Amino acid sequence: LTLFQLRKGQRTIKYNRRRMNWEQHLEELRAASDFQGACRASEQSFYKLAGLLREGITVGYMQPVRPASGSEPTYPEIVAAAGLHWLASGDSIRSMERIYRLSKGSARRVIKMFLDAAINSEELAISLPEAAQELRGLADGLGSISAAQRIFYGVAGAIGGWLRATQKPSKIPS
């Protein structure tokens, strides 16, 4: 057999990247009191989101532990953390590779997986009230917790992180 035939079919590994172990990473974040900063959410909110999206952000367990890889699985929590981080920071895919110890292809897949799961989640879909009484209840509830102190009376909700110029609702239609 020639050297070419022996090497044919063998994949050359450029670098044996060890994926992040989520439990170890979590321990480090807790020790540094940096969960909120790293994951862009409180731990409770983060796990609630990860739970809602779990089906859509779970990588097949056998994918990363094939004999050629031998790496840690890509935990759903890593997918959620990378997705939130990418959305909140605007960091590049290359940064996600380094931070979460993923290959370029895996980093792209993880971000896409997170976005697809969030976009297709029925639990995260914006739902509008169907009755005037329900709308009034939401507006009163938002008014009671708003720092704007009822400046926008009659507003039923807000989307965090996005500011759109609007006119204050009036009781008299214009």
mmCIF file of all heavy atoms in Angstrom, residues 65-97:
data_model
loop_
_atom_site.group_PDB
_atom_site.id
_atom_site.type_symbol
_atom_site.label_atom_id
_atom_site.label_comp_id
_atom_site.label_asym_id
_atom_site.label_seq_id
_atom_site.Cartn_x
_atom_site.Cartn_y
_atom_site.Cartn_z
ATOM 1 N N VAL A 65 -19.281 13.169 20.426
ATOM 2 C CA VAL A 65 -18.462 12.151 21.091
ATOM 3 C C VAL A 65 -18.096 11.002 20.163
ATOM 4 O O VAL A 65 -17.747 9.930 20.609
ATOM 5 C CB VAL A 65 -19.144 11.619 22.387
ATOM 6 C CG1 VAL A 65 -19.186 12.700 23.438
ATOM 7 C CG2 VAL A 65 -20.510 11.063 22.113
ATOM 8 N N ARG A 66 -18.177 11.240 18.869
ATOM 9 C CA ARG A 66 -17.729 10.230 17.918
ATOM 10 C C ARG A 66 -16.242 9.978 18.131
ATOM 11 O O ARG A 66 -15.534 10.860 18.632
ATOM 12 C CB ARG A 66 -17.977 10.700 16.485
ATOM 13 C CG ARG A 66 -19.446 10.787 16.130
ATOM 14 C CD ARG A 66 -19.594 11.288 14.741
ATOM 15 N NE ARG A 66 -18.898 12.569 14.645
ATOM 16 C CZ ARG A 66 -19.025 13.402 13.638
ATOM 17 N NH1 ARG A 66 -19.799 13.110 12.650
ATOM 18 N NH2 ARG A 66 -18.363 14.542 13.622
ATOM 19 N N PRO A 67 -15.745 8.825 17.736
ATOM 20 C CA PRO A 67 -14.326 8.516 17.957
ATOM 21 C C PRO A 67 -13.359 9.575 17.447
ATOM 22 O O PRO A 67 -12.334 9.824 18.046
ATOM 23 C CB PRO A 67 -14.129 7.200 17.204
ATOM 24 C CG PRO A 67 -15.481 6.575 17.175
ATOM 25 C CD PRO A 67 -16.470 7.721 17.135
ATOM 26 N N ALA A 68 -13.688 10.254 16.353
ATOM 27 C CA ALA A 68 -12.763 11.259 15.814
ATOM 28 C C ALA A 68 -12.692 12.490 16.709
ATOM 29 O O ALA A 68 -11.726 13.209 16.713
ATOM 30 C CB ALA A 68 -13.201 11.674 14.414
ATOM 31 N N SER A 69 -13.744 12.719 17.476
ATOM 32 C CA SER A 69 -13.807 13.951 18.259
ATOM 33 C C SER A 69 -13.426 13.717 19.714
ATOM 34 O O SER A 69 -12.492 14.307 20.217
ATOM 35 C CB SER A 69 -15.217 14.526 18.167
ATOM 36 O OG SER A 69 -15.376 15.574 19.065
ATOM 37 N N GLY A 70 -14.189 12.886 20.401
ATOM 38 C CA GLY A 70 -13.932 12.612 21.811
ATOM 39 C C GLY A 70 -14.159 13.825 22.697
ATOM 40 O O GLY A 70 -13.716 13.864 23.833
ATOM 41 N N SER A 71 -14.845 14.824 22.209
ATOM 42 C CA SER A 71 -15.014 16.072 22.914
ATOM 43 C C SER A 71 -16.269 16.061 23.780
ATOM 44 O O SER A 71 -17.121 15.204 23.651
ATOM 45 C CB SER A 71 -15.114 17.190 21.876
ATOM 46 O OG SER A 71 -14.817 18.414 22.451
ATOM 47 N N GLU A 72 -16.362 17.063 24.675
ATOM 48 C CA GLU A 72 -17.569 17.250 25.480
ATOM 49 C C GLU A 72 -18.739 17.510 24.539
ATOM 50 O O GLU A 72 -18.565 18.128 23.497
ATOM 51 C CB GLU A 72 -17.414 18.480 26.384
ATOM 52 C CG GLU A 72 -16.479 18.303 27.538
ATOM 53 C CD GLU A 72 -17.133 17.615 28.726
ATOM 54 O OE1 GLU A 72 -18.365 17.679 28.878
ATOM 55 O OE2 GLU A 72 -16.395 16.996 29.494
ATOM 56 N N PRO A 73 -19.944 17.101 24.921
ATOM 57 C CA PRO A 73 -21.093 17.468 24.092
ATOM 58 C C PRO A 73 -21.335 18.976 24.177
ATOM 59 O O PRO A 73 -20.891 19.626 25.119
ATOM 60 C CB PRO A 73 -22.251 16.688 24.720
ATOM 61 C CG PRO A 73 -21.805 16.338 26.090
ATOM 62 C CD PRO A 73 -20.303 16.286 26.072
ATOM 63 N N THR A 74 -22.015 19.515 23.194
ATOM 64 C CA THR A 74 -22.390 20.924 23.237
ATOM 65 C C THR A 74 -23.712 20.995 23.990
ATOM 66 O O THR A 74 -24.766 20.718 23.459
ATOM 67 C CB THR A 74 -22.540 21.516 21.817
ATOM 68 O OG1 THR A 74 -21.317 21.298 21.114
ATOM 69 C CG2 THR A 74 -22.832 23.005 21.863
ATOM 70 N N TYR A 75 -23.631 21.321 25.258
ATOM 71 C CA TYR A 75 -24.805 21.354 26.122
ATOM 72 C C TYR A 75 -25.789 22.430 25.669
ATOM 73 O O TYR A 75 -25.364 23.470 25.161
ATOM 74 C CB TYR A 75 -24.388 21.657 27.570
ATOM 75 C CG TYR A 75 -23.473 20.623 28.173
ATOM 76 C CD1 TYR A 75 -22.094 20.819 28.186
ATOM 77 C CD2 TYR A 75 -23.980 19.460 28.719
ATOM 78 C CE1 TYR A 75 -21.240 19.876 28.744
ATOM 79 C CE2 TYR A 75 -23.138 18.508 29.280
ATOM 80 C CZ TYR A 75 -21.775 18.718 29.282
ATOM 81 O OH TYR A 75 -20.936 17.786 29.825
ATOM 82 N N PRO A 76 -27.094 22.220 25.875
ATOM 83 C CA PRO A 76 -28.079 23.251 25.527
ATOM 84 C C PRO A 76 -27.779 24.588 26.215
ATOM 85 O O PRO A 76 -28.008 25.650 25.641
ATOM 86 C CB PRO A 76 -29.405 22.671 26.016
ATOM 87 C CG PRO A 76 -29.194 21.200 26.060
ATOM 88 C CD PRO A 76 -27.736 21.008 26.378
ATOM 89 N N GLU A 77 -27.232 24.533 27.411
ATOM 90 C CA GLU A 77 -26.899 25.764 28.130
ATOM 91 C C GLU A 77 -25.800 26.552 27.397
ATOM 92 O O GLU A 77 -25.817 27.780 27.405
ATOM 93 C CB GLU A 77 -26.463 25.447 29.564
ATOM 94 C CG GLU A 77 -27.577 24.926 30.441
ATOM 95 C CD GLU A 77 -27.858 23.423 30.285
ATOM 96 O OE1 GLU A 77 -27.133 22.745 29.525
ATOM 97 O OE2 GLU A 77 -28.799 22.929 30.921
ATOM 98 N N ILE A 78 -24.870 25.848 26.782
ATOM 99 C CA ILE A 78 -23.822 26.524 26.017
ATOM 100 C C ILE A 78 -24.438 27.175 24.777
ATOM 101 O O ILE A 78 -24.088 28.296 24.421
ATOM 102 C CB ILE A 78 -22.681 25.555 25.644
ATOM 103 C CG1 ILE A 78 -21.928 25.154 26.917
ATOM 104 C CG2 ILE A 78 -21.741 26.178 24.615
ATOM 105 C CD1 ILE A 78 -20.879 24.098 26.719
ATOM 106 N N VAL A 79 -25.373 26.477 24.135
ATOM 107 C CA VAL A 79 -26.054 27.045 22.973
ATOM 108 C C VAL A 79 -26.799 28.314 23.387
ATOM 109 O O VAL A 79 -26.713 29.348 22.727
ATOM 110 C CB VAL A 79 -27.023 26.020 22.338
ATOM 111 C CG1 VAL A 79 -27.811 26.648 21.200
ATOM 112 C CG2 VAL A 79 -26.272 24.782 21.859
ATOM 113 N N ALA A 80 -27.516 28.258 24.516
ATOM 114 C CA ALA A 80 -28.269 29.426 24.998
ATOM 115 C C ALA A 80 -27.324 30.564 25.377
ATOM 116 O O ALA A 80 -27.562 31.726 25.012
ATOM 117 C CB ALA A 80 -29.146 29.038 26.183
ATOM 118 N N ALA A 81 -26.255 30.256 26.091
ATOM 119 C CA ALA A 81 -25.304 31.297 26.511
ATOM 120 C C ALA A 81 -24.647 31.943 25.301
ATOM 121 O O ALA A 81 -24.538 33.175 25.229
ATOM 122 C CB ALA A 81 -24.248 30.700 27.446
ATOM 123 N N ALA A 82 -24.221 31.139 24.349
ATOM 124 C CA ALA A 82 -23.572 31.688 23.151
ATOM 125 C C ALA A 82 -24.562 32.523 22.343
ATOM 126 O O ALA A 82 -24.214 33.603 21.846
ATOM 127 C CB ALA A 82 -22.997 30.558 22.297
ATOM 128 N N GLY A 83 -25.786 32.049 22.210
ATOM 129 C CA GLY A 83 -26.802 32.792 21.459
ATOM 130 C C GLY A 83 -27.123 34.121 22.096
ATOM 131 O O GLY A 83 -27.169 35.158 21.416
ATOM 132 N N LEU A 84 -27.337 34.133 23.415
ATOM 133 C CA LEU A 84 -27.617 35.387 24.115
ATOM 134 C C LEU A 84 -26.429 36.339 24.043
ATOM 135 O O LEU A 84 -26.589 37.536 23.811
ATOM 136 C CB LEU A 84 -27.975 35.109 25.573
ATOM 137 C CG LEU A 84 -29.352 34.526 25.836
ATOM 138 C CD1 LEU A 84 -29.494 34.133 27.302
ATOM 139 C CD2 LEU A 84 -30.445 35.503 25.436
ATOM 140 N N HIS A 85 -25.250 35.790 24.248
ATOM 141 C CA HIS A 85 -24.030 36.604 24.202
ATOM 142 C C HIS A 85 -23.879 37.248 22.826
ATOM 143 O O HIS A 85 -23.600 38.439 22.715
ATOM 144 C CB HIS A 85 -22.825 35.725 24.525
ATOM 145 C CG HIS A 85 -21.545 36.477 24.636
ATOM 146 N ND1 HIS A 85 -20.732 36.381 25.719
ATOM 147 C CD2 HIS A 85 -20.925 37.358 23.794
ATOM 148 C CE1 HIS A 85 -19.667 37.145 25.545
ATOM 149 N NE2 HIS A 85 -19.774 37.749 24.383
ATOM 150 N N TRP A 86 -24.055 36.457 21.780
ATOM 151 C CA TRP A 86 -23.899 36.950 20.419
ATOM 152 C C TRP A 86 -24.917 38.053 20.121
ATOM 153 O O TRP A 86 -24.576 39.092 19.557
ATOM 154 C CB TRP A 86 -24.031 35.797 19.436
ATOM 155 C CG TRP A 86 -23.742 36.178 18.016
ATOM 156 C CD1 TRP A 86 -22.525 36.384 17.448
ATOM 157 C CD2 TRP A 86 -24.710 36.406 16.992
ATOM 158 N NE1 TRP A 86 -22.676 36.719 16.124
ATOM 159 C CE2 TRP A 86 -24.002 36.733 15.821
ATOM 160 C CE3 TRP A 86 -26.096 36.340 16.957
ATOM 161 C CZ2 TRP A 86 -24.652 37.006 14.623
ATOM 162 C CZ3 TRP A 86 -26.740 36.619 15.760
ATOM 163 C CH2 TRP A 86 -26.014 36.949 14.607
ATOM 164 N N LEU A 87 -26.170 37.844 20.519
ATOM 165 C CA LEU A 87 -27.207 38.850 20.279
ATOM 166 C C LEU A 87 -26.942 40.137 21.051
ATOM 167 O O LEU A 87 -27.098 41.236 20.527
ATOM 168 C CB LEU A 87 -28.580 38.309 20.677
ATOM 169 C CG LEU A 87 -29.233 37.320 19.718
ATOM 170 C CD1 LEU A 87 -30.490 36.737 20.349
ATOM 171 C CD2 LEU A 87 -29.559 37.978 18.392
ATOM 172 N N ALA A 88 -26.555 39.998 22.317
ATOM 173 C CA ALA A 88 -26.393 41.163 23.180
ATOM 174 C C ALA A 88 -25.116 41.943 22.892
ATOM 175 O O ALA A 88 -25.083 43.159 23.036
ATOM 176 C CB ALA A 88 -26.407 40.734 24.643
ATOM 177 N N SER A 89 -24.064 41.259 22.479
ATOM 178 C CA SER A 89 -22.762 41.918 22.350
ATOM 179 C C SER A 89 -22.421 42.347 20.939
ATOM 180 O O SER A 89 -21.624 43.260 20.745
ATOM 181 C CB SER A 89 -21.658 40.988 22.851
ATOM 182 O OG SER A 89 -21.516 39.891 21.945
ATOM 183 N N GLY A 90 -22.980 41.662 19.965
ATOM 184 C CA GLY A 90 -22.586 41.934 18.591
ATOM 185 C C GLY A 90 -21.209 41.387 18.273
ATOM 186 O O GLY A 90 -20.622 41.739 17.250
ATOM 187 N N ASP A 91 -20.671 40.537 19.162
ATOM 188 C CA ASP A 91 -19.363 39.926 18.919
ATOM 189 C C ASP A 91 -19.394 39.079 17.651
ATOM 190 O O ASP A 91 -20.446 38.620 17.217
ATOM 191 C CB ASP A 91 -18.946 39.036 20.095
ATOM 192 C CG ASP A 91 -18.376 39.820 21.263
ATOM 193 O OD1 ASP A 91 -18.173 41.035 21.116
ATOM 194 O OD2 ASP A 91 -18.152 39.217 22.324
ATOM 195 N N SER A 92 -18.231 38.848 17.104
ATOM 196 C CA SER A 92 -18.107 38.048 15.891
ATOM 197 C C SER A 92 -18.213 36.561 16.214
ATOM 198 O O SER A 92 -18.094 36.141 17.364
ATOM 199 C CB SER A 92 -16.750 38.316 15.238
ATOM 200 O OG SER A 92 -15.716 37.832 16.085
ATOM 201 N N ILE A 93 -18.422 35.778 15.171
ATOM 202 C CA ILE A 93 -18.429 34.314 15.315
ATOM 203 C C ILE A 93 -17.076 33.859 15.851
ATOM 204 O O ILE A 93 -16.989 32.976 16.691
ATOM 205 C CB ILE A 93 -18.746 33.628 13.963
ATOM 206 C CG1 ILE A 93 -20.190 33.939 13.525
ATOM 207 C CG2 ILE A 93 -18.519 32.127 14.050
ATOM 208 C CD1 ILE A 93 -21.273 33.376 14.409
ATOM 209 N N ARG A 94 -16.017 34.503 15.408
ATOM 210 C CA ARG A 94 -14.672 34.158 15.891
ATOM 211 C C ARG A 94 -14.575 34.307 17.411
ATOM 212 O O ARG A 94 -13.985 33.484 18.103
ATOM 213 C CB ARG A 94 -13.621 35.021 15.196
ATOM 214 C CG ARG A 94 -12.237 34.770 15.729
ATOM 215 C CD ARG A 94 -11.178 35.418 14.883
ATOM 216 N NE ARG A 94 -10.417 34.312 14.352
ATOM 217 C CZ ARG A 94 -10.070 34.151 13.100
ATOM 218 N NH1 ARG A 94 -10.405 35.022 12.204
ATOM 219 N NH2 ARG A 94 -9.378 33.116 12.726
ATOM 220 N N SER A 95 -15.188 35.367 17.962
ATOM 221 C CA SER A 95 -15.199 35.542 19.420
ATOM 222 C C SER A 95 -15.960 34.409 20.087
ATOM 223 O O SER A 95 -15.552 33.914 21.138
ATOM 224 C CB SER A 95 -15.834 36.882 19.796
ATOM 225 O OG SER A 95 -15.037 37.944 19.369
ATOM 226 N N MET A 96 -17.075 34.021 19.487
ATOM 227 C CA MET A 96 -17.868 32.920 20.060
ATOM 228 C C MET A 96 -17.061 31.631 20.055
ATOM 229 O O MET A 96 -17.152 30.830 20.985
ATOM 230 C CB MET A 96 -19.177 32.717 19.282
ATOM 231 C CG MET A 96 -20.136 33.894 19.304
ATOM 232 S SD MET A 96 -20.745 34.312 20.945
ATOM 233 C CE MET A 96 -19.706 35.680 21.359
ATOM 234 N N GLU A 97 -16.259 31.437 19.022
ATOM 235 C CA GLU A 97 -15.383 30.259 18.958
ATOM 236 C C GLU A 97 -14.464 30.227 20.173
ATOM 237 O O GLU A 97 -14.329 29.195 20.834
ATOM 238 C CB GLU A 97 -14.503 30.292 17.708
ATOM 239 C CG GLU A 97 -15.209 30.133 16.402
ATOM 240 C CD GLU A 97 -14.251 30.390 15.245
ATOM 241 O OE1 GLU A 97 -13.088 29.928 15.294
ATOM 242 O OE2 GLU A 97 -14.667 31.079 14.291
#
